[in-house]
Every structure is written in C-alpha cells, then in structure tokens.
C-alpha cells in the first residue's frame, strides 16, 4: 500500500513508526512531517489543512490510503474530498468530525443517545454566560465550543476564574472563532481517562486506554496544555471496564450518528471521567490523542496498517488488533514558556544516546532542521520521551533516566508523570491484600 499520513506532531511520528513496520507498506509519505518522520518515509511540504493540495498529491502519487493525524483536516473536510476523488481515508467526514469540532454538537448527541455526561448550557454572548456562572457558582467548567488545539477548556475553581475565562474567550477573542460560543458545564469529579477505538458505522473495536496529564505543572497545577505526558493502561481501568465504557459511551453515539445520516468512520477518542456514579463522557475527539498515541502505539503488537484500511473500508469486524500487556509512559519535553509563548531555536542533541536505554522511544513533535542541519526546537511541545516495560514503575524509571541524555537548554518537563497511577496501584494492591 502507498500511504499518505497527514500531520507533523509526536502523534504522527508514533503513527508513522507503527505504519512503517507493516509488511503491507510500499511507500509512506507524511505531510508535512517532521525530522523524526523523515527517517521513516518521505516528508511532503503540504500544510495539514490544505485539503485541495493533499488530495492532488494523493492522486498524483496513486495513494491507496490517507491517514489523518490531527483534527483540523478532518473538520476542514479531508475525508469528504478523498471520497469524492475515490481515495480511501481512515477518518470521519466533515459532518461526523463535528463531534470534535463543536462541543455543543457532542452534547446534543449525548442527550439524544442517553449517554451519561455533565449537565451543560451553551452561550453565544458573554453577559448571559457570566450571569449563569454567578448563579451556579464554582467549581465549573468553561469550554470554547470550537477547535482550540487543546487549550479551550478551563476548569474554574472560583467564580472569578470562570469570569476571566469567559471574558478571555468571548470578549478578548484569545481563541479566535473557537471561543465565540462557549459551553458551560458542571465539574465532574473522579479520575480522567482516555478511551480509544476504531469505528466504522455502528461497529467499534477497542484499541485501549491511557491517562493523560493535562496541566503544565507538577501536582496537576497551572494552565491546561495539549498534554504533558500519559500512562497506558490506566490503573483500575482494565480491558473489561474499557469494553463496558464502549457499550455505554461510544456505541450509542455511533448508532445516533448513523440515524442522523452522518455515520462515523475513524478513530474515536472518548475522554471519560470515572465518577462515583460510573463513567461519564467529557468529550469526543475524532483522532488519536497526543501524547496518548505515543504511549499506546509502542504497546501495539499487531499491524496498524490493515486496521486503518479496514476503518476506511467499513470492514472492522475482521480487524486484528493486539496490544502487549506491558505498561508504557510518555513524557513531553516542552519549550520554556509553553503553553504561552514557547522559546524557539534552541539546538537539541543527544537523542541517539537517550534511545540507547532499553525500551525507550523518542518521538519528534515541534522540531526542525536549521540551515546547517542541526536539530532545533520549533514549537511548544517539542519531543516525547516514551518507555515500555513489564511494570509502570520500570517504564517510568527508564523514561526519566533517558531524559538527562538529551541536551537542550530550553527544555521543561513534568517530573511526576505516572506518580498518581503508581499511588493508585499501590492502594489497589494493599486493598487486595
């Protein structure tokens, strides 16, 4: 198969690494890719949201399968354009991608399909939104209705924080069009996990689960980011519980989407809160998460490419999807200043030495080569250091031992990724004993 993978982040590097292992692969192109993906295939200088250029390239190169990485091209209609050109695409239509493109659309689907989720209201102006939070109080969650690259959610612990978030999104337009409308919802309490499945029409096949660490600072402090690290699988959320969550929160959504005439084909990422009343949906995303994909895909034992092809063809029932029982961890190295204005241009060295550690994998995200060929930082989240081992504790040790081999003066990272999961595992073991 000739494959076009769309994207340039750590998620796409991990996907490229998995696809490149497939004996079914003839050629892999990545648009636009990064220095990491360049070692696995051919990078192509096309922006992820330039749908006409992506389709034209796919036609010219006789591409057998287009694999979207991020959400932007899907919301922009990449799958629809591929369908019109007769090119299989392992991602949802523009209409189905509204599950991520609009928070209020997802809430409407949940209501129609009786999917447990937080109580919510949508607002198109700041004044009634401010009045609502003053009446409801805090904690409360403010969400930009549109796409905001993982930065459109504020868990406000005080009314003042909620007011600031509303004014920032709606009056100051800090998130652009994404924040013109907001969804305000109750603050669910519990452990948050990310559940992934391949989907085609009414069929969902479990991929697995991970637990993300969203906030920039240790102890889950500071502003939300696109994700600073993840562990897989989450403690206390085994395969049986994951399948039960698919029955409760994903399969009813798929049936509702079919009923509406907008069936979903692609990867669904369901963000869940494990509350005392059972799992409740926080949000849907229509692609792999980042950095969850990095942690998940290093555990993959089966061939990713045929699974993606079966998603596009709607033949998921025959898909072979197998994961190792080992544990994995991903740790994001971000640029100083992230998630605000990251410091760019710092030279990065030592990746080869870091990957000499057993079980360690490093994925590029915000990197590029300068005119002299040096690897430099060129984004907010720049690298993801991952490791796999029989236990989470060992995987965590491997990843953190590898990081000091990387020489990059502007790097920041959390030093407590996986701590909460290890504490939960210890508590679970003590309870069993």
């Amino acid at each position: 198969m000739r494959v076009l993978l769309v994207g340039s982040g750590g998620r796409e590097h991990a996907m490229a690494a998995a696809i490149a292992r497939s004996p079914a692969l003839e050629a892999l192109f990545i648009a636009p890719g990064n220095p990491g993906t360049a070692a696995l295939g051919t990078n192509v200088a096309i922006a992820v949201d330039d749908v006409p250029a992506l389709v034209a390239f796919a036609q010219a190169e006789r591409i057998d399968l287009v694999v979207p990485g991020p959400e932007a091209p899907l919301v922009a209609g990449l799958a629809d354009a591929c369908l019109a050109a007769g090119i299989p695409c392992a991602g949802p239509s523009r209409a189905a991608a509204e599950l991520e493109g609009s928070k209020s659309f997802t809430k409407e689907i949940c209501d129609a399909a009786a999917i447990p989720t937080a109580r919510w209201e949508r607002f198109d102006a700041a004044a009634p939104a401010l009045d609502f939070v003053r009446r409801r109080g805090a904690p409360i969650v403010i969400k930009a209705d549109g796409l905001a690259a993982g930065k459109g959610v504020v868990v406000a612990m005080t009314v003042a924080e909620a007011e600031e978030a509303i004014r920032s999104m709606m009056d100051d337009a800090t998130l652009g069009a994404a924040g013109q409308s907001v969804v305000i919802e109750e603050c669910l309490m519990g452990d948050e996990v990310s559940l992934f499945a391949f989907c085609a029409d009414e069929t969902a096949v479990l991929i697995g689960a991970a637990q993300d660490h969203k906030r920039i600072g240790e102890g889950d402090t500071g502003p939300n980011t696109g994700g600073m690290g993840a562990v897989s699988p989450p403690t206390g959320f085994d395969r049986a519980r994951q399948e039960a969550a698919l029955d409760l929160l994903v399969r009813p959504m798929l049936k509702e989407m079919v009923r509406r005439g907008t069936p979903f084909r692609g990867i669904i990422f369901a963000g869940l809160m494990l509350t005392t009343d059972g799992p409740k949906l926080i949000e849907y995303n229509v692609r792999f998460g980042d950095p969850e994909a990095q942690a998940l895909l290093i555990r993959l034992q089966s061939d990713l490419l045929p699974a993606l092809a079966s998603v596009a063809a709607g033949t998921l029932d025959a898909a072979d999807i197998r994961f190792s029982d080992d544990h994995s961890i991903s740790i994001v190295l971000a640029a100083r200043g992230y998630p605000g204005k990251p410091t760019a241009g710092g030279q990065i060295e030592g990746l080869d030495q870091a990957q000499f550690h057993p079980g360690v994998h490093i994925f590029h995200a915000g990197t590029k080569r300068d005119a002299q060929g040096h690897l430099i930082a060129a984004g907010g989240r720049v690298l993801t250091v991952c490791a796999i081992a029989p236990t989470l504790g060992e995987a965590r040790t491997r990843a953190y031992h590898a990081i000091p081999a990387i020489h990059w003066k502007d790097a920041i990272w959390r030093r407590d990724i996986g701590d909460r999961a290890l504490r939960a595992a210890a508590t679970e073991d003590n309870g069993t004993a």
Side-chain angles (χ1 to χ4, degrees), residues 128-329:
L130 291 166
D131 181 64
F132 181 80
V133 298
R134 288 164 186 156
R135 286 186 284 111
R136 286 298 178 94
I140 199 163
V141 180
I142 315 298
K143 294 182 176 180
D145 195 20
L147 292 179
K151 299 173 186 176
V153 177
V154 175
V155 180
M157 301 310 293
T158 67
V159 170
E161 286 181 52
E163 291 175 340
E164 181 182 355
I166 291 166
R167 291 192 181 101
S168 173
M169 292 180 193
M170 305 192 79
D171 291 338
D172 301 337
T174 53
L175 299 176
Q180 288 179 352
S181 298
V182 299
V183 169
I184 302 178
E185 59 184 44
E186 69 171 319
C187 185
L188 298 175
M189 298 297 180
D191 284 333
E192 187 174 346
V193 297
S194 304
L195 182 69
F196 297 88
F198 291 120
C199 301
D201 305 328
E202 293 191 14
T203 302
V205 177
L206 179 65
I207 296 172
Q211 188 164 48
D212 191 12
H213 296 63
K214 285 286 187 192
R215 293 184 181 267
I216 187 69
E218 273 107 29
D220 293 318
T221 57
N224 272 342
T225 71
M228 293 300 293
V231 298
S232 179
T235 301
F237 193 56
D238 59 18
R239 301 259 330 163
R241 290 182 175 93
Q242 293 168 29
E243 283 285 0
L246 278 186
D247 285 338
L248 182 67
L249 305 168
V250 173
R251 293 187 173 105
M253 174 274 289
L254 295 176
K255 290 180 179 178
E256 175 63 17
M257 294 295 283
V258 168
R259 188 190 71 79
R260 290 176 176 231
T262 54
F264 183 93
R265 289 188 180 183
I267 295 163
I268 202 69
F269 160 7
L272 317 180
M273 189 68 78
L274 305 180
T275 76
T276 54
D277 297 325
K280 293 188 178 183
L281 185 83
I282 300 172
E283 64 182 3
Y284 292 122
N285 296 300
V286 298
R287 36 69 187 181
F288 273 122
D290 185 339
E292 295 100 328
Q294 294 91 304
L296 271 171
L297 289 174
I298 61 173
R299 294 179 52 228
L300 181 67
Q301 293 181 316
S302 54
D303 192 338
L304 179 62
L305 185 51
L308 292 168
S310 71
V311 167
T315 56
L316 259 180
D317 291 333
D320 173 30
I321 302 164
R322 288 172 286 109
F323 281 81
S324 164
D325 290 330
D326 284 349
H327 293 254
S328 60
I329 188 169

